[in-house]
Amino acid sequence: MNNPNIQQFDRLVGKLKERFPELEFTENKDAPVERAYDLEEKNDQKVSVHLNLQNEDEFHLNIGEHFWCEWFPCDKGDVAEEYYDLVEGFIEGRHRLVDFFRGDKCYKSQLQKNEIGDWRPIANSMHLGGFTWPWSKKHTRI
């Protein structure tokens, strides 16, 4: 394939494979997207991570049950760099995932970065179906 975005995605995945040889990258050839990979630890699965390229110019990242975010257009240099940094940062532990609940419904997930001892959001995933009664108890899961 001569699609430069597919080639760029393949390069990013190749760089991640080289950086994290302890992870298994399983390509999902049945996914209705250009490329899709599930990342798994070879010994102990802690959280599911899914990467894909879809609609020819969107990088997607899914982490756990609730976080899903997209970056586009992926042919813009800073978009590819940001995507790689977010994935790499989560895998190596520089970034963390926080799910926000009201009652038992997740209404938001955030990928956060530690800056001088304080966590700040760097990507948000909102869940419209996660809203419940406003008096439901709020809590987070990291």
Side-chain angles (χ1 to χ4, degrees), residues 47 49 63 85-93 95-97 111:
V47 66
V49 177
I63 303 172
D85 179 65
L86 293 173
V87 175
E88 179 190 52
F90 179 75
I91 293 170
E92 59 181 23
H95 307 328
R96 71 179 186 181
L97 181 67
L111 197 55

Side-chain angles (χ1 to χ4, degrees), residues 5 9 41 51 55 78 87 98 129:
N5 293 335
F9 185 77
E41 287 191 55
L51 315 173
N55 299 323
D78 58 337
V87 175
V98 180

Side-chain angles (χ1 to χ4, degrees), residues 27-105:
E27 185 173 5
N28 183 347
K29 294 184 183 220
D30 295 328
V33 297
E34 285 78 12
R35 290 281 195 277
Y37 287 91
D38 295 310
L39 281 62
E40 300 175 21
E41 287 191 55
K42 292 180 181 172
N43 298 326
D44 180 26
Q45 179 71 16
K46 291 184 178 147
V47 66
S48 63
V49 177
H50 176 80
L51 315 173
N52 75 61
L53 170 69
Q54 59 183 271
N55 299 323
E56 295 188 18
D57 73 341
E58 301 171 4
F59 290 147
H60 289 250
L61 172 61
N62 301 75
I63 303 172
E65 296 176 50
H66 306 290
F67 182 83
W68 167 72
C69 215
E70 61 189 26
W71 289 265
F72 61 91
C74 67
D75 56 358
K76 215 172 143 187
D78 58 337
V79 170
E81 289 172 24
E82 179 181 349
Y83 180 78
Y84 179 84
D85 179 65
L86 293 173
V87 175
E88 179 190 52
F90 179 75
I91 293 170
E92 59 181 23
R94 288 184 291 119
H95 307 328
R96 71 179 186 181
L97 181 67
V98 180
D99 293 328
F100 295 82
F101 291 85
R102 187 181 294 269
D104 62 350
K105 305 268 189 202

